[in-house]
């Protein structure tokens, strides 16, 4: 509905003066507007006014995990708790919008003529929390440190394609890749590639360019973030302070929200959705995404060394039952490969693997593992993993397989059990591109190759797809890789999970983002409190 600038200003002034819908209707109809049109315009004006961000206020937020491995080093970020804090304190060269397209952030401009040499022009006037200006040296340091093994970067497999990073002007950085990659700006918009100060070795102070500064950070306990008054985005952030804690028990998170102790909680159990939505003053933000919880069967140790055991486990997934009962419908079916149906490179032609106890029985007998108790490690912090494990345990009994479900506490699960157990569960947050996802979790030399699944042919296809600028050819290459993972990869992926965040209705500005819950962990600079 088009409005003249004068009418917009009159409506805005009336609302700021406390006008209600009846007042607006009277004003519009006095000006000769028809009642139907006036009613629609009044409603639109009221809605827009209600969504006007307000400055000030403090909120408490709970993520689904906490532990001594919590970090403010972007290179080591490994879960939503880390990502959320990272988005408070740091920025990336680019941001990913809701279509997962890269948009300018610390780099106000970026381009490449061949997808191999990329030039990034930095934004003028950006300062770190300690007042130092952002320089090309900060960007060079931030990107190259991922390639150093001692850094322990979770994104090293992605950074290995970077050949050189150099300052080529007062506000210019040039990145040269070993081979072309049209997705480099997308990669640099992910959580691990946030920009830190040149030479930083101690990250406990969280010195970045982000919307908030660190007031307190205690790993495994909490962080307190306070508004960065010199943030380079005008008017942002809206809140004065955010306390962020981790609570691994999903019931405790929801109870904390309903008691008023918390304002926003991640990873709501789907069984709690109805309760929250029916309680006045509370709501649930649902975000369909590529997040998945999966069974990891390591190919270098334990029963996962036997391909028939892996196939038996995959045929024990009653996927529709898991979707309906465990996820309460807040999920879509998966097919033991990691690219979800909403993704542009999803291979829809891959036949769906069925729940087939008889086929599972055949492969299990062939594996020679009958009579062996098989420990399966699960934890509440790997979303739905305990519920999935219990359902599989019952199905396994029907074929003579003895799964021994080991329920581990959330604290320390990711550091002590994930990547360590022969059979266990992982939980993968959405990634912005097929290349990022497949490189981090399936490339032979990736530290996050959970199943230690190594296929030279897969690595070759991955590199070929990365350099391919023709969309159809690239899609075909990604389809081949999905088939390979589906057929003999050591992960069983039953469904793609919608992210469910519970919130007080006083908290405004929340919108879904395809990279997952808490607005892809970037809620901090977007939300505000009504009436604060």
């Amino acid at each position: 509905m088009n409005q003249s600038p004068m009418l917009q200003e009159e409506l805005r002034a009336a609302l700021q003066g406390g006008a209600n819908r009846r007042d607006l209707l009277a004003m519009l109809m006095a000006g000769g507007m028809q009642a139907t049109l006036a009613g629609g315009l009044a409603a639109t004006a009221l809605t827009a006014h209600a969504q006007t961000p307000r400055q000030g206020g403090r909120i408490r937020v709970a993520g689904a995990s906490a532990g001594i491995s919590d970090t403010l080093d972007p290179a080591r970020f490994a879960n939503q708790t880390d990502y959320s804090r990272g988005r408070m304190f740091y920025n990336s060269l680019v941001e990913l919008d809701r279509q997962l397209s890269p948009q300018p952030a610390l780099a106000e401009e970026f381009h490449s003529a061949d997808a191999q040499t990329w030039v990034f022009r930095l934004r003028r006037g950006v300062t770190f929390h300690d007042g130092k200006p952002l320089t090309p040296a900060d960007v060079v340091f931030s990107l190259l440190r991922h390639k150093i093994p001692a850094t322990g970067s979770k994104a090293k497999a992605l950074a290995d394609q970077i050949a050189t990073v150099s300052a080529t002007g007062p506000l210019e950085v040039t990145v040269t890749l070993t081979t072309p990659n049209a997705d480099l700006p997308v990669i640099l918009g992910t959580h691990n590639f946030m920009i830190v100060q040149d030479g930083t070795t101690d990250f406990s102070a969280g010195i970045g360019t982000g919307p908030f500064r660190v007031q307190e950070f205690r790993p495994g306990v909490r962080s307190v973030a306070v508004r960065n008054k010199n943030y380079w985005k005008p008017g942002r952030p809206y809140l004065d302070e955010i306390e962020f804690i981790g609570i691994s028990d999903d019931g405790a998170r929801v109870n904390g929200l309903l008691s008023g102790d918390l304002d926003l909680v991640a990873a709501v159990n789907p069984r709690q959705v109805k309760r929250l939505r029916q309680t006045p003053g509370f709501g649930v933000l649902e975000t369909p995404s590529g997040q998945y919880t999966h069974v990891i069967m390591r190919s270098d140790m334990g029963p996962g060394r036997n391909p028939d055991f892996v196939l038996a486990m995959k045929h024990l997934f009653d996927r529709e039952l898991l979707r309906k009962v465990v996820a309460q419908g807040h999920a879509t079916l998966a097919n033991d490969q990691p690219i979800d149906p909403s993704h542009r490179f999803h291979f829809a032609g891959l036949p769906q693997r069925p729940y087939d106890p008889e086929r599972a029985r055949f492969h299990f007998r062939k594996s020679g593992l009958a009579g062996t108790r098989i420990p399966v490690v699960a934890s509440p912090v790997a979303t739905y993993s305990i519920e999935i494990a219990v359902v599989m345990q019952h199905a396994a009994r029907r074929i003579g397989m003895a799964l021994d479900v080991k329920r581990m506490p959330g604290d320390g699960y990711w550091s002590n059990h994930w990547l360590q157990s022969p059979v266990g569960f992982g939980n993968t947050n959405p990634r912005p591109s097929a290349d990022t996802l497949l490189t981090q979790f399936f490339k032979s030399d990736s530290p996050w190759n959970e199943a230690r699944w190594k296929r030279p042919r897969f690595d070759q296809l991955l590199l070929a797809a990365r350099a391919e600028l023709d969309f159809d050819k690239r899609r075909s290459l990604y389809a081949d890789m999905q088939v390979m993972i589906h057929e003999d990869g050591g992960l069983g992926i039953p469904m793609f999970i919608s992210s469910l965040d519970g919130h007080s209705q006083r908290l405004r500005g929340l919108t879904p983002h395809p990279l997952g819950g808490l607005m892809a962990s970037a809620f901090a600079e977007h939300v505000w409190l009504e009436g604060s």
Side-chain angles (χ1 to χ4, degrees):
M1 185 182 299
N2 294 323
Q3 305 171 27
S4 71
M6 183 176 295
L7 178 56
Q8 292 178 11
E9 190 58 40
E10 290 176 353
L11 292 173
R12 186 180 300 112
L15 287 164
Q16 290 174 345
N20 57 27
R21 185 175 185 275
R22 181 177 298 177
D23 297 329
L24 295 183
L25 274 172
M27 182 180 75
L28 291 167
M29 293 178 69
M33 188 173 291
Q34 294 180 350
T36 301
L37 184 59
L41 188 55
T44 300
L46 284 164
T47 300
H49 182 68
Q51 289 297 312
T52 301
R54 302 188 182 210
Q55 295 283 347
R58 182 184 194 273
I59 64 171
R60 297 188 80 228
V61 183
S65 64
I68 59 172
S69 61
D70 290 355
T71 180
L72 296 184
D73 179 354
R76 295 174 178 264
F77 287 168
N79 55 52
Q80 190 185 54
T81 294
D82 289 340
Y83 302 153
S84 296
R85 290 183 174 130
R87 292 297 177 190
M88 295 179 198
F89 305 132
Y90 303 103
N91 297 116
S92 303
L93 289 174
V94 302
E95 297 175 343
L96 302 179
D97 63 19
R98 292 173 65 181
Q99 286 71 48
L100 300 184
S101 297
Q103 301 297 331
L106 293 183
E108 63 181 4
E109 180 186 326
F110 47 92
H111 62 272
S112 175
D114 58 4
Q116 186 164 0
T117 299
W118 288 86
V119 178
F120 295 85
R121 185 175 301 279
L122 303 185
R123 191 176 299 276
R124 188 180 302 275
V126 177
T127 58
F128 285 94
H129 298 151
D130 61 3
K132 294 180 181 178
L134 173 70
T135 69
D138 302 310
V139 176
V140 172
F141 172 78
S142 297
L143 299 188
L144 288 180
R145 65 186 298 262
H146 293 280
K147 295 172 62 67
I148 303 170
T151 301
S153 173
K154 306 301 184 184
K156 185 178 184 302
L158 294 170
D160 282 345
Q161 65 188 286
I162 297 175
T164 63
V165 185
S166 56
T168 49
L171 288 173
E172 185 179 278
V173 174
T174 298
V175 178
T176 304
L177 305 179
T178 56
T179 57
N181 189 343
D183 279 342
L184 179 67
V186 175
I187 291 171
L188 297 185
T190 58
H191 304 295
N192 295 110
F193 287 98
M194 296 182 189
I195 303 303
V196 299
Q197 277 188 342
D198 182 18
T200 302
T201 56
D202 180 0
F203 291 89
S204 60
I207 302 296
T209 60
F212 290 86
R213 296 182 293 104
V214 176
Q215 183 178 85
E216 178 185 336
F217 174 58
R218 287 189 285 164
V221 181
R222 71 168 190 164
S223 62
V224 177
V226 294
R227 187 173 185 268
N228 175 13
K229 297 179 181 179
N230 298 316
Y231 191 41
W232 55 273
K233 292 186 182 181
R236 301 287 184 100
Y238 305 118
L239 296 170
D240 290 331
E241 187 174 307
I242 300 175
E243 179 181 355
F244 195 96
I245 60 177
I247 302 175
S248 59
D249 185 274
D250 50 18
R253 287 195 300 278
V254 170
N255 288 336
L257 177 64
L258 292 175
S259 71
D261 190 46
L262 298 168
D263 302 283
L264 174 64
V265 298
V268 170
N269 188 303
R271 291 177 177 80
Q272 300 274 15
V273 169
K274 185 176 181 180
R275 176 189 178 197
L276 277 172
R277 286 179 170 164
Q278 291 182 345
T279 302
F282 298 94
V284 176
L285 176 69
E286 180 169 356
T287 304
S289 74
Q291 178 187 1
Y292 58 88
T293 291
H294 50 292
V295 178
I296 303 167
M297 296 160 282
R298 285 185 56 161
S299 62
D300 62 341
M301 61 172 9
R305 290 177 294 185
N306 191 304
D308 281 293
F309 170 76
V310 174
L311 283 172
M313 290 287 282
K314 291 179 179 179
H315 281 295
L316 285 178
F317 282 130
D318 189 338
R319 300 166 200 267
E320 185 58 33
L321 176 69
L322 293 174
R323 188 188 74 83
K324 288 181 177 179
V325 176
V326 174
Q328 297 286 291
H330 301 288
T332 56
L333 296 187
N335 199 13
D336 302 323
Q337 64 82 21
I339 299 180
D340 72 281
S342 69
H343 198 286
R344 59 178 178 158
F345 289 123
H346 172 76
F347 179 37
L350 183 62
Q352 176 69 54
R353 177 170 281 126
Y355 170 56
D356 192 335
E358 290 308 311
R359 195 174 299 182
R361 187 194 309 273
F362 168 80
H363 285 293
F364 183 59
R365 287 176 175 173
K366 190 177 175 183
S367 74
L369 292 168
T372 303
R373 290 189 68 81
I374 300 168
V376 179
V377 176
S379 172
V381 295
T383 308
Y384 306 152
S385 64
I386 293 173
E387 295 90 339
I388 294 171
V390 170
V391 171
M392 291 189 73
Q393 185 180 50
H394 286 290
R397 287 176 185 152
R398 296 177 55 188
I399 67 167
M401 181 190 293
L403 297 182
D404 184 11
V405 178
K406 304 287 189 182
R407 176 172 178 155
M408 300 298 176
D411 292 348
Y413 180 76
W414 299 115
S415 56
N416 298 328
H417 300 286
W418 179 63
L419 297 180
Q420 312 298 324
S421 304
V423 182
F425 277 87
N427 178 251
T428 297
N429 291 312
R431 292 306 193 267
S433 71
D435 179 71
T436 302
L437 180 62
L438 298 176
T439 298
Q440 284 193 300
F441 294 98
F442 297 93
K443 192 170 182 286
S444 293
D445 59 355
S446 172
W448 278 5
N449 185 329
E450 297 166 298
R452 303 299 189 264
W453 181 76
K454 299 182 179 182
R455 299 292 184 272
R457 175 59 178 159
F458 178 90
D459 296 344
Q460 293 168 4
L461 291 172
L462 184 62
L463 293 175
R466 184 181 294 167
E468 180 56 67
L469 298 179
D470 182 277
F471 179 82
D472 289 334
K473 291 180 181 178
R474 199 176 189 198
R475 180 168 55 189
S476 177
L477 292 168
Y478 284 131
D480 290 343
M481 285 183 271
Q482 290 169 69
V483 171
M484 291 182 67
I485 295 170
H486 168 86
E487 289 182 347
D488 77 342
L491 302 186
I493 306 174
M495 57 185 173
F496 295 104
I497 303 166
S498 295
S499 297
L500 301 168
D501 300 323
H503 62 92
S504 161
Q505 289 186 345
R506 289 186 62 232
L507 189 66
R508 301 300 182 91
L510 289 168
T511 55
H513 192 288
L515 286 183
L518 299 182
M519 298 182 67
S521 302
F523 71 93
E525 74 169 271
H526 298 287
V527 299
W528 69 91
L529 281 172
E530 181 186 47
S532 63

